[in-house]
PDB file of all heavy atoms in Angstrom:
ATOM      1  N   GLY M  44     -13.483  14.423  24.301  1.00 37.00           N
ATOM      2  CA  GLY M  44     -12.471  14.920  25.222  1.00 37.00           C
ATOM      3  C   GLY M  44     -11.076  14.447  24.861  1.00 37.00           C
ATOM      4  O   GLY M  44     -10.108  14.899  25.445  1.00 37.00           O
ATOM      5  N   ARG M  45     -10.955  13.544  23.891  1.00 45.00           N
ATOM      6  CA  ARG M  45      -9.647  13.038  23.489  1.00 45.00           C
ATOM      7  C   ARG M  45      -8.948  14.070  22.630  1.00 45.00           C
ATOM      8  O   ARG M  45      -9.605  14.900  21.995  1.00 45.00           O
ATOM      9  CB  ARG M  45      -9.789  11.751  22.696  1.00 45.00           C
ATOM     10  CG  ARG M  45     -10.596  10.686  23.445  1.00 45.00           C
ATOM     11  CD  ARG M  45     -10.191   9.293  23.056  1.00 45.00           C
ATOM     12  NE  ARG M  45      -9.640   9.205  21.700  1.00 45.00           N
ATOM     13  CZ  ARG M  45     -10.398   9.103  20.605  1.00 45.00           C
ATOM     14  NH1 ARG M  45     -11.696   9.103  20.690  1.00 45.00           N
ATOM     15  NH2 ARG M  45      -9.826   9.005  19.436  1.00 45.00           N
ATOM     16  N   PRO M  46      -7.627  14.077  22.612  1.00 46.00           N
ATOM     17  CA  PRO M  46      -6.938  14.955  21.666  1.00 46.00           C
ATOM     18  C   PRO M  46      -7.314  14.552  20.252  1.00 46.00           C
ATOM     19  O   PRO M  46      -7.552  13.377  19.974  1.00 46.00           O
ATOM     20  CB  PRO M  46      -5.459  14.701  21.943  1.00 46.00           C
ATOM     21  CG  PRO M  46      -5.419  13.411  22.700  1.00 46.00           C
ATOM     22  CD  PRO M  46      -6.711  13.300  23.424  1.00 46.00           C
ATOM     23  N   GLY M  47      -7.346  15.516  19.371  1.00 46.00           N
ATOM     24  CA  GLY M  47      -7.769  15.240  18.007  1.00 46.00           C
ATOM     25  C   GLY M  47      -9.229  15.582  17.788  1.00 46.00           C
ATOM     26  O   GLY M  47      -9.696  15.641  16.670  1.00 46.00           O
ATOM     27  N   ALA M  48      -9.956  15.803  18.880  1.00 50.00           N
ATOM     28  CA  ALA M  48     -11.354  16.177  18.737  1.00 50.00           C
ATOM     29  C   ALA M  48     -11.462  17.588  18.172  1.00 50.00           C
ATOM     30  O   ALA M  48     -12.296  17.864  17.336  1.00 50.00           O
ATOM     31  CB  ALA M  48     -12.054  16.101  20.085  1.00 50.00           C
ATOM     32  N   ALA M  49     -10.570  18.470  18.605  1.00 50.00           N
ATOM     33  CA  ALA M  49     -10.407  19.792  17.991  1.00 50.00           C
ATOM     34  C   ALA M  49     -11.709  20.548  17.875  1.00 50.00           C
ATOM     35  O   ALA M  49     -12.122  20.950  16.805  1.00 50.00           O
ATOM     36  CB  ALA M  49      -9.756  19.661  16.611  1.00 50.00           C
ATOM     37  N   SER M  50     -12.348  20.770  18.984  1.00 60.00           N
ATOM     38  CA  SER M  50     -13.668  21.388  18.923  1.00 60.00           C
ATOM     39  C   SER M  50     -13.601  22.905  19.041  1.00 60.00           C
ATOM     40  O   SER M  50     -14.424  23.597  18.489  1.00 60.00           O
ATOM     41  CB  SER M  50     -14.529  20.815  20.049  1.00 60.00           C
ATOM     42  OG  SER M  50     -13.853  20.945  21.284  1.00 60.00           O
ATOM     43  N   ALA M  51     -12.606  23.434  19.751  1.00 72.00           N
ATOM     44  CA  ALA M  51     -12.527  24.877  19.929  1.00 72.00           C
ATOM     45  C   ALA M  51     -12.249  25.576  18.610  1.00 72.00           C
ATOM     46  O   ALA M  51     -11.722  24.972  17.675  1.00 72.00           O
ATOM     47  CB  ALA M  51     -11.436  25.224  20.938  1.00 72.00           C
ATOM     48  N   ALA M  52     -12.616  26.867  18.521  1.00 78.00           N
ATOM     49  CA  ALA M  52     -12.406  27.622  17.292  1.00 78.00           C
ATOM     50  C   ALA M  52     -10.932  27.585  16.890  1.00 78.00           C
ATOM     51  O   ALA M  52     -10.061  27.877  17.700  1.00 78.00           O
ATOM     52  CB  ALA M  52     -12.863  29.063  17.489  1.00 78.00           C
ATOM     53  N   GLY M  53     -10.656  27.224  15.652  1.00 80.00           N
ATOM     54  CA  GLY M  53      -9.279  27.145  15.169  1.00 80.00           C
ATOM     55  C   GLY M  53      -8.543  25.900  15.613  1.00 80.00           C
ATOM     56  O   GLY M  53      -7.470  25.610  15.116  1.00 80.00           O
ATOM     57  N   GLY M  54      -9.115  25.166  16.551  1.00 90.00           N
ATOM     58  CA  GLY M  54      -8.439  23.982  17.081  1.00 90.00           C
ATOM     59  C   GLY M  54      -8.204  22.912  16.041  1.00 90.00           C
ATOM     60  O   GLY M  54      -7.339  22.049  16.233  1.00 90.00           O
ATOM     61  N   TRP M  55      -8.939  22.953  14.932  1.00 95.00           N
ATOM     62  CA  TRP M  55      -8.769  21.924  13.898  1.00 95.00           C
ATOM     63  C   TRP M  55      -7.407  22.004  13.234  1.00 95.00           C
ATOM     64  O   TRP M  55      -6.976  21.066  12.578  1.00 95.00           O
ATOM     65  CB  TRP M  55      -9.884  22.032  12.855  1.00 95.00           C
ATOM     66  CG  TRP M  55      -9.981  23.393  12.213  1.00 95.00           C
ATOM     67  CD1 TRP M  55     -10.715  24.443  12.642  1.00 95.00           C
ATOM     68  CD2 TRP M  55      -9.318  23.834  11.027  1.00 95.00           C
ATOM     69  NE1 TRP M  55     -10.556  25.520  11.818  1.00 95.00           N
ATOM     70  CE2 TRP M  55      -9.706  25.179  10.810  1.00 95.00           C
ATOM     71  CE3 TRP M  55      -8.434  23.232  10.120  1.00 95.00           C
ATOM     72  CZ2 TRP M  55      -9.237  25.925   9.731  1.00 95.00           C
ATOM     73  CZ3 TRP M  55      -7.972  23.964   9.045  1.00 95.00           C
ATOM     74  CH2 TRP M  55      -8.377  25.303   8.864  1.00 95.00           C
ATOM     75  N   GLN M  56      -6.692  23.147  13.428  1.00 94.00           N
ATOM     76  CA  GLN M  56      -5.344  23.202  12.861  1.00 94.00           C
ATOM     77  C   GLN M  56      -4.267  23.157  13.935  1.00 94.00           C
ATOM     78  O   GLN M  56      -3.129  23.533  13.691  1.00 94.00           O
ATOM     79  CB  GLN M  56      -5.162  24.396  11.933  1.00 94.00           C
ATOM     80  CG  GLN M  56      -5.818  25.680  12.369  1.00 94.00           C
ATOM     81  CD  GLN M  56      -5.717  26.738  11.277  1.00 94.00           C
ATOM     82  OE1 GLN M  56      -4.880  26.680  10.384  1.00 94.00           O
ATOM     83  NE2 GLN M  56      -6.583  27.732  11.357  1.00 94.00           N
ATOM     84  N   ASP M  57      -4.638  22.667  15.102  1.00 94.00           N
ATOM     85  CA  ASP M  57      -3.668  22.519  16.191  1.00 94.00           C
ATOM     86  C   ASP M  57      -3.276  21.043  16.322  1.00 94.00           C
ATOM     87  O   ASP M  57      -4.111  20.194  16.624  1.00 94.00           O
ATOM     88  CB  ASP M  57      -4.286  23.023  17.496  1.00 94.00           C
ATOM     89  CG  ASP M  57      -3.295  22.959  18.636  1.00 94.00           C
ATOM     90  OD1 ASP M  57      -2.097  22.788  18.363  1.00 94.00           O
ATOM     91  OD2 ASP M  57      -3.733  23.072  19.801  1.00 94.00           O
ATOM     92  N   PHE M  58      -2.016  20.760  16.080  1.00 94.00           N
ATOM     93  CA  PHE M  58      -1.577  19.365  15.994  1.00 94.00           C
ATOM     94  C   PHE M  58      -0.520  19.021  17.042  1.00 94.00           C
ATOM     95  O   PHE M  58       0.349  18.204  16.785  1.00 94.00           O
ATOM     96  CB  PHE M  58      -1.003  19.075  14.610  1.00 94.00           C
ATOM     97  CG  PHE M  58      -2.052  18.876  13.556  1.00 94.00           C
ATOM     98  CD1 PHE M  58      -2.580  19.950  12.873  1.00 94.00           C
ATOM     99  CD2 PHE M  58      -2.519  17.601  13.270  1.00 94.00           C
ATOM    100  CE1 PHE M  58      -3.548  19.765  11.886  1.00 94.00           C
ATOM    101  CE2 PHE M  58      -3.480  17.405  12.305  1.00 94.00           C
ATOM    102  CZ  PHE M  58      -3.999  18.497  11.599  1.00 94.00           C
ATOM    103  N   SER M  59      -0.618  19.668  18.224  1.00 82.00           N
ATOM    104  CA  SER M  59       0.451  19.460  19.200  1.00 82.00           C
ATOM    105  C   SER M  59       0.772  17.985  19.503  1.00 82.00           C
ATOM    106  O   SER M  59       1.848  17.506  19.168  1.00 82.00           O
ATOM    107  CB  SER M  59       0.126  20.205  20.496  1.00 82.00           C
ATOM    108  OG  SER M  59      -0.751  21.263  20.257  1.00 82.00           O
ATOM    109  N   PRO M  60      -0.094  17.204  20.162  1.00 76.00           N
ATOM    110  CA  PRO M  60       0.361  15.896  20.629  1.00 76.00           C
ATOM    111  C   PRO M  60      -0.086  14.741  19.740  1.00 76.00           C
ATOM    112  O   PRO M  60      -1.264  14.639  19.418  1.00 76.00           O
ATOM    113  CB  PRO M  60      -0.339  15.781  21.986  1.00 76.00           C
ATOM    114  CG  PRO M  60      -1.585  16.642  21.850  1.00 76.00           C
ATOM    115  CD  PRO M  60      -1.469  17.467  20.604  1.00 76.00           C
ATOM    116  N   PRO M  61       0.816  13.867  19.360  1.00 72.00           N
ATOM    117  CA  PRO M  61       0.416  12.645  18.653  1.00 72.00           C
ATOM    118  C   PRO M  61      -0.520  11.793  19.506  1.00 72.00           C
ATOM    119  O   PRO M  61      -1.580  11.411  19.064  1.00 72.00           O
ATOM    120  CB  PRO M  61       1.736  11.929  18.392  1.00 72.00           C
ATOM    121  CG  PRO M  61       2.754  13.023  18.390  1.00 72.00           C
ATOM    122  CD  PRO M  61       2.260  14.019  19.398  1.00 72.00           C
ATOM    123  N   ALA M  62      -0.129  11.497  20.765  1.00 84.00           N
ATOM    124  CA  ALA M  62      -1.056  10.947  21.748  1.00 84.00           C
ATOM    125  C   ALA M  62      -1.658   9.597  21.382  1.00 84.00           C
ATOM    126  O   ALA M  62      -2.841   9.370  21.575  1.00 84.00           O
ATOM    127  CB  ALA M  62      -2.181  11.950  22.022  1.00 84.00           C
TER     128      ALA M  62
END
Side-chain angles (χ1 to χ4, degrees):
Chain M
R45 306 209 333 277
S50 53
W55 56 271
Q56 39 187 339
D57 183 14
F58 282 87
S59 336

